[in-house]
Amino acid sequence: MAFSPIPTAKSFGSDFLWGVVTAAAQNEGAVYTDGRTPSVWDTFAKRTGKIKGSAKPTHACDFYHRYKEDLLMVKALGFKVFRFSLSWSRILPDGTGRINKEGIRFYNEVIDECLKLDLIPFVTLYHWDLPQSLEKEGGWTSYKILNWFTRFTTVCAEAFGDRVKNWIILNEPMAFTSLGYMLGKHAPGKMGMKNFLPAVHHAVLAQADGGRIIRSLVKGANIGTSFSCSEINPYTDKTEDVKAAHRMDILMNRLFIEPSLGKGYPRDDFKFLEQLEITNKAWKYTERMRFDFDFIGLQNYFPLTIKHNSIVPVIQASEIKAATRKVPHTAMGWEVNGESFYRIIRRFWKYGSVKQIIVTENGAAYKDELKSSRVHDVQRIEYFKEHLVALYKAKHKGINIGGYFAWTLMDNFEWAEGYKARFGLVHVDHETQLRTIKDSGYWFRDFLNT
Ligand code: BGC
């Protein structure tokens, strides 16, 4: 992108929320401690071949035992918000029914520690770690998930709602339904449309039901839900590539937000949408799918370039990788493109009925090297700078952006990529649990303090 001067943190306004994010399954570890039962990720990780390096989330960053020192780091880096998620199977070991007091105690301690340090706790209710006991009964493919999710949300609201006012209902429903229930690449490893179609619909309903529950139980709550989003560009201007990009755009960017805005599912010319509508009798649910969120969480990492590919089922489209196109990319192969970040934010704002946008995740993985207790992660710093320039532009074009949260505090269990993909501002040696603040962490500290 054309380079502009890096804005200062202050120029975003004094009430702008600067935060850093973690997620339970990726950070806590202690998966068999104090009454917690396995989540789908613990079970999935036991299957060989599904996760790089046969990695498991069993110990992760041991945040469960080290949260005090980790929160001190959040504070030292200058962030105001700490976003984290709640492990469902730590709170409700059977998925529903009985409450595990130890689970509640743990999150009470984390919340209280945040407040003591003057950090704002932003809680994600669901960041992909469904209790395995519920998966056995169908997980997100079952309509029963709505009762289970109601129970979980209610317990959390009642336990933490006196101190937690900021709630994110679901983290990236498109990611966990497509990777986990269509492509089998993430837990629980299910595949095919017969799983994907109901999983999408139940996630759409859960995100709205969850919002209503928090609204009714938590006084003064600020409620959002987080969507993954990516600008989609056709590889060529041939009609078939343009149409393929359009189909991808519906899946990646529109499927979950439009029903929440009361528009129902998108109804464009794409057979999949018809199947989604019919399988779920979706026309009956337009009202229930809607919820008046206080903010929409946007999570953006990269844009995608798409071409027609008749071999790929349903979507008939595939990605032309950034490396093939010789454009800048991260260690994940994801294109780095700050302008596309600006454009995708603008695009969501154009719906007109989104009250506020918070960027609830943005960040990059690089092949970091720890040498003499330092990690000189120059590329990650450049990534953040480029995206903050774009964010500033969006804010100053009049888009109501309330905050920006960096993904992620420290190198953690990166799902199917295991521990090899490092996204943290803090380097973690997963053998010794030694934390080392990377140059990008120090860069953020200086950025936030000037
Ligand atoms: C997810 C995180 C994940 C990150 C990087 C987001 O899609 O919410 O859990 O680690 O991307 O892949």
Side-chain angles (χ1 to χ4, degrees):
M1 73 186 284
F3 228 69
S4 330
I6 311 303
T8 58
K10 278 203 188 81
S11 62
F12 284 82
S14 57
D15 54 355
F16 194 80
L17 297 171
W18 294 100
V20 70
V21 192
T22 64
Q26 295 180 273
N27 289 265
E28 285 178 8
V31 297
Y32 303 112
T33 305
D34 292 339
R36 183 190 179 281
T37 56
S39 83
V40 286
W41 275 96
D42 300 307
T43 307
F44 187 71
K46 284 193 187 151
R47 293 192 215 156
T48 50
K50 289 279 184 176
I51 297 184
K52 286 198 184 145
S54 303
K56 298 186 176 50
T58 319
H59 303 295
C61 305
D62 196 30
F63 177 80
Y64 189 76
H65 296 110
R66 294 164 197 262
Y67 70 89
K68 284 195 182 169
E69 62 169 290
D70 291 339
L71 290 176
L72 277 176
M73 269 186 329
V74 175
K75 186 73 186 168
L77 295 182
F79 291 100
K80 182 78 188 148
V81 168
F82 179 60
R83 176 185 164 205
F84 62 101
S85 76
L86 305 174
S87 156
W88 189 334
S89 52
R90 204 180 283 292
I91 292 174
L92 299 174
D94 305 321
T96 186
R98 107 192 133 90
I99 299 173
N100 177 22
K101 283 198 187 114
E102 285 298 296
I104 302 286
R105 174 199 51 78
F106 171 63
Y107 291 112
N108 273 335
E109 287 179 12
V110 172
I111 293 161
D112 290 345
E113 195 64 20
C114 283
L115 298 176
K116 195 170 109 193
L117 294 172
D118 197 23
L119 294 171
I120 303 171
F122 253 72
V123 163
T124 314
L125 273 166
Y126 185 76
H127 200 129
W128 307 359
D129 46 354
L130 189 72
Q132 181 61 30
S133 53
L134 298 182
E135 182 51 38
K136 276 197 200 130
E137 295 193 40
W140 284 96
T141 68
S142 167
Y143 188 76
K144 285 189 283 184
I145 189 85
L146 296 168
N147 287 339
W148 304 328
F149 191 67
T150 292
R151 166 78 177 145
F152 175 54
T153 307
T154 306
V155 168
C156 295
E158 285 173 348
F160 313 124
D162 56 337
R163 286 149 300 146
V164 173
K165 298 299 170 190
N166 296 283
W167 294 82
I168 292 172
I169 308 297
L170 297 182
N171 181 73
E172 297 193 359
M174 183 56 198
F176 76 77
T177 54
S178 63
L179 295 167
Y181 288 88
M182 180 157 84
L183 301 171
K185 291 188 176 173
H186 274 196
K190 284 186 170 163
M191 292 169 82
M193 294 296 270
K194 71 172 191 310
N195 292 309
F196 184 52
L197 294 173
V200 166
H201 187 57
H202 298 145
V204 164
L205 291 171
Q207 85 191 351
D209 284 0
R212 281 183 284 271
I213 295 167
I214 300 289
R215 182 76 80 225
S216 72
L217 296 178
V218 179
K219 222 167 130 197
N222 183 35
I223 308 171
T225 198
S226 285
F227 301 117
S228 46
C229 60
S230 279
E231 185 184 55
I232 309 287
N233 296 305
Y235 187 45
T236 70
D237 49 18
K238 280 195 220 143
T239 313
E240 56 173 18
D241 285 347
V242 172
K243 283 190 172 171
H246 181 68
R247 291 192 294 276
M248 188 63 89
D249 181 56
I250 293 171
L251 283 185
M252 299 286 285
N253 295 318
R254 299 176 50 196
L255 202 55
F256 287 87
I257 188 166
E258 293 193 4
S260 86
L261 295 176
K263 296 160 83 78
Y265 288 115
R267 287 206 173 78
D268 298 39
D269 177 23
F270 181 8
K271 191 94 186 117
F272 161 82
L273 296 171
E274 208 178 289
Q275 283 171 272
L276 179 70
E277 190 91 12
I278 293 170
T279 311
N280 297 304
K281 299 191 174 49
W283 56 87
K284 288 189 180 173
Y285 294 92
T286 312
E287 258 320 295
R288 186 169 165 197
M289 295 195 291
R290 166 197 213 123
F291 180 72
D292 193 19
F293 285 106
D294 299 312
F295 68 91
I296 289 301
L298 290 187
Q299 315 207 144
N300 175 262
Y301 288 85
F302 50 81
L304 286 174
T305 297
I306 296 298
K307 71 161 188 183
H308 176 81
N309 185 344
S310 51
I311 298 169
V312 182
V314 187
I315 182 92
Q316 300 205 308
S318 57
E319 181 195 351
I320 308 283
K321 302 256 188 232
T324 317
R325 290 179 289 115
K326 298 195 171 43
V327 293
H329 54 276
T330 69
M332 301 286 282
W334 296 349
E335 180 176 345
V336 179
N337 185 333
E339 266 300 307
S340 81
F341 181 50
Y342 162 69
R343 287 191 297 261
I344 196 74
I345 294 174
R346 186 181 61 186
R347 155 95 187 273
F348 273 75
W349 185 245
K350 280 197 175 153
Y351 277 115
S353 46
V354 170
K355 292 182 186 156
Q356 184 182 55
I357 287 173
I358 297 181
V359 174
T360 44
E361 278 185 29
N362 174 244
Y366 287 105
K367 290 197 169 45
D368 299 327
E369 268 185 80
L370 177 67
K371 269 195 207 148
S372 318
S373 303
R374 290 300 292 262
V375 178
H376 298 302
D377 55 339
V378 184
Q379 290 172 300
R380 184 173 290 106
I381 296 173
E382 290 308 313
Y383 180 97
F384 281 124
K385 283 182 183 170
E386 183 169 333
H387 285 76
L388 290 175
V389 168
L391 186 75
Y392 183 80
K393 179 166 155 188
K395 185 155 170 63
H396 287 268
K397 293 254 178 188
I399 301 178
N400 181 11
I401 303 179
Y404 172 91
F405 304 167
W407 180 267
T408 177
L409 175 61
M410 54 192 159
D411 297 337
N412 55 36
F413 176 71
E414 176 50 36
W415 311 115
E417 299 297 314
Y419 291 99
K420 287 278 180 315
R422 294 181 175 272
F423 278 86
L425 298 177
V426 175
H427 180 278
V428 178
D429 176 329
H430 290 104
E431 294 293 315
T432 61
Q433 293 297 349
L434 181 73
R435 275 89 161 123
T436 307
I437 299 179
K438 300 179 192 176
D439 284 2
S440 58
Y442 291 119
W443 181 84
F444 250 110
R445 180 198 60 186
D446 294 345
F447 170 75
L448 295 173
N449 285 317
T450 46

